Amino acid sequence: MYERGRVALCGKGKNPVGHWMKTITETQGGTKMSKLIGILTSGGDTPGLNAAIRGVGKTLLHTGDYKLIGFNDGFRGLMENRFIELDDSCLSGILTRGGTILGSSRDKPHKMPVGGKIMDMTAVIAENYYKNHLSGLVCLGGGGTQKNAYRLAKMGLNILTLPKTIDNDVVETDVSFGYDTAMMIATEAVDRLHSTAHSHHRIIILETMGHKVGWLALGAGIAGGADVILFPEIHYDEEIVSEAILRRSREGKRFSIVVVAEGAISKNMAKEWEKSKKEEDLNAMLKTRTLDLATKLEELTQKETRVTILGYLQRGGTPTAYDRVLSTALGHHCAQEIIKGEWGNMMAVQKNKIITVPLSKVAGPVKYIPKNHYLVESARGMGVCLGD
Ligand code: F6P
């Protein structure tokens, strides 16, 4: 009845699926059958993913009514039917581990690279879901994953999702896990850049990740006491930024820290892009944007300017205590929804409570920083230059 997938080993020298199949067979003739839940992690890896897998898994296994399998490398693993059984031993010792024990990919069910072509593999994914007799599938991911998961839910699959992203741009949740850890790492970078900028009387620009939103730059900029914070939601003017730096000089402050989100664009870039409207043109401008900004600020202020691009460091390593708690609580809540048989929702945090939100509300929109957000107002109110 249960067909084997292409199995990867979880514990050393152990075949988890063989062991799991035996358990199922033993219970078939009895009164109780275990329900099987699948889980996958999709999109950029994020600290807290393992803690969330553990939260879902430990809660389900604790009931004695469920078995859990984890598909490798996001939707690709589900399409290729590659999975591992997540038994108690697999879920132990992963709370503090960064990355994802399942592996991840950015592959989308409806646009999957297969044999050198981009193919719609949604039907194969649904077929594997039914072939494995899954009672439900949990997808951990950011905005893109929510959209892909919603597509599967609309086809009738039992789907639940959890919001993970260092960018914090998933709508309908006050926060996503991974954001706090990335913000902490970027903040530490701002702290460390202060002493070197101060010693050499330089401008230092720190580029953070964040995709098309500014939560990471704004959070780390405020936490680290940056003098200038630039992010996509507010288009900056280099002259205004340089004037803010020169003003600091006149006040006797001989260095400046500029935090710039990878997606931040200047007013001039916005005008250029307005003409073409092509995503690739914007991406080409963004490729050199931080170095261009450094050149421009050096020219306008006549101050030595250096650049640090933090990159993937922001996604690496162990999650903060906050992210571990958040991932665990979201994972636990998700397991409770599975037990209740409620599907088609994302777990979310709103006003300090864990709630569920229909996937139809989450799939598509992006959570940008509102212009009147309290963090924007706090930064402005304290004299931080936001470039406008
Ligand atoms: O979404 C997380 C993120 O790290 C973004 O901040 C960044 O723009 C992107 O992923 C990088 O993507 P990739 O891992 O595919 O290079």
Side-chain angles (χ1 to χ4, degrees):
M1 174 178 180
Y2 288 85
E3 194 162 328
R4 262 178 217 230
R6 282 165 54 197
V7 178
L9 291 184
C10 164
K12 213 177 169 190
K14 186 170 153 204
N15 180 340
V17 171
H19 164 75
W20 155 65
M21 285 178 74
K22 190 161 169 272
T23 316
I24 299 279
T25 316
E26 274 167 6
T27 52
Q28 261 174 354
T31 50
K32 204 167 73 176
M33 275 279 288
S34 293
K35 289 184 181 164
L36 188 65
I37 300 297
I39 190 163
L40 59 81
T41 55
S42 175
D45 70 301
T46 289
L49 277 168
N50 293 326
I53 294 169
R54 177 178 171 272
V56 176
K58 286 215 168 201
T59 311
L60 288 180
L61 297 191
H62 190 67
T63 64
D65 297 333
Y66 288 89
K67 299 273 172 191
L68 188 66
I69 54 172
F71 290 96
N72 299 119
D73 309 330
F75 292 105
R76 171 161 292 276
L78 180 53
M79 190 270 286
E80 293 171 353
N81 210 23
R82 285 187 288 114
F83 58 79
I84 56 169
E85 188 203 359
L86 294 171
D87 62 10
D88 198 52
S89 67
C90 294
L91 298 172
S92 285
I94 63 168
L95 174 64
T96 58
R97 268 172 71 181
T100 159
I101 57 164
L102 296 177
S104 191
S105 73
R106 292 201 181 274
D107 292 336
K108 305 175 178 77
H110 64 297
K111 279 186 191 166
M112 184 88 61
V114 181
K117 286 190 199 149
I118 303 294
M119 312 255 292
D120 183 350
M121 301 305 278
T122 317
V124 178
I125 281 180
E127 193 185 309
N128 284 339
Y129 173 96
Y130 292 115
K131 200 162 76 178
N132 289 313
H133 298 273
L134 292 182
S135 293
L137 176 72
V138 182
C139 305
L140 279 55
T145 303
Q146 306 303 328
K147 278 198 264 182
N148 293 324
Y150 182 47
R151 270 193 202 102
L152 299 181
K154 281 196 288 187
M155 291 171 68
L157 274 55
N158 290 337
I159 304 286
L160 289 174
T161 67
L162 267 66
K164 71 88 212 165
T165 166
I166 65 164
D167 306 334
N168 199 31
D169 59 352
V170 175
V171 291
E172 297 291 333
T173 184
D174 295 343
V175 66
S176 296
F177 61 84
Y179 172 60
D180 185 68
T181 306
M183 184 165 55
M184 189 68 231
I185 295 167
T187 300
E188 194 187 331
V190 179
D191 292 349
R192 288 179 185 276
L193 291 174
H194 261 95
S195 58
T196 172
H198 176 263
S199 306
H200 286 268
H201 320 303
R202 283 173 173 160
I203 300 171
I204 296 197
I205 306 179
L206 173 73
E207 183 190 293
T208 66
M209 278 188 165
H211 202 219
K212 296 203 168 120
V213 300
W215 295 105
L216 196 47
L218 184 60
I222 290 179
D227 308 300
V228 179
I229 309 175
L230 308 175
F231 46 94
E233 290 86 343
I234 297 176
H235 298 161
Y236 63 86
D237 181 328
E238 289 99 342
E239 308 250 345
I240 291 174
V241 175
S242 67
E243 185 42 46
I245 290 167
L246 291 171
R247 196 178 323 118
R248 277 176 56 77
S249 276
R250 290 195 292 274
E251 291 165 356
K253 295 162 186 162
R254 301 178 66 194
F255 72 97
S256 287
I257 302 286
V258 178
V259 173
V260 59
E262 62 178 349
I265 56 175
S266 67
K267 289 186 175 159
N268 287 336
M269 287 166 74
K271 263 188 223 150
E272 280 298 305
W273 190 45
E274 191 59 32
K275 285 185 223 151
S276 89
K277 288 271 181 215
K278 281 191 198 138
E279 191 78 9
E280 58 264 33
D281 290 344
L282 180 63
N283 289 341
M285 286 192 266
L286 283 173
K287 253 192 182 152
T288 56
R289 191 278 330 273
T290 303
L291 295 174
D292 295 345
L293 176 63
T295 309
K296 191 76 186 171
L297 291 184
E298 204 162 58
E299 183 190 307
L300 291 170
T301 63
Q302 295 297 302
K303 288 178 184 297
E304 252 188 348
T305 305
R306 297 284 191 267
V307 165
T308 298
I309 297 178
L310 206 47
Y312 294 89
L313 276 175
Q314 290 158 103
R315 278 175 22 189
T318 187
T320 56
Y322 178 87
D323 271 337
R324 293 179 206 179
V325 171
L326 178 62
S327 306
T328 302
L330 287 167
H332 167 72
H333 196 81
C334 178
Q336 285 182 317
E337 292 298 299
I338 293 172
I339 295 163
K340 282 193 277 174
E342 299 281 347
W343 304 102
N345 296 315
M346 180 186 82
M347 309 305 114
V349 183
Q350 283 184 16
K351 298 191 178 131
N352 225 16
K353 286 206 165 58
I354 302 220
I355 58 153
T356 55
V357 183
L359 281 173
S360 54
K361 281 179 92 174
V362 179
V366 173
K367 187 176 78 180
Y368 292 102
I369 303 176
K371 295 251 160 62
N372 61 352
H373 190 271
Y374 69 92
L375 286 180
V376 175
E377 287 178 353
S378 307
R380 274 196 204 289
M382 293 172 69
V384 176
C385 172
L386 301 182
D388 60 341

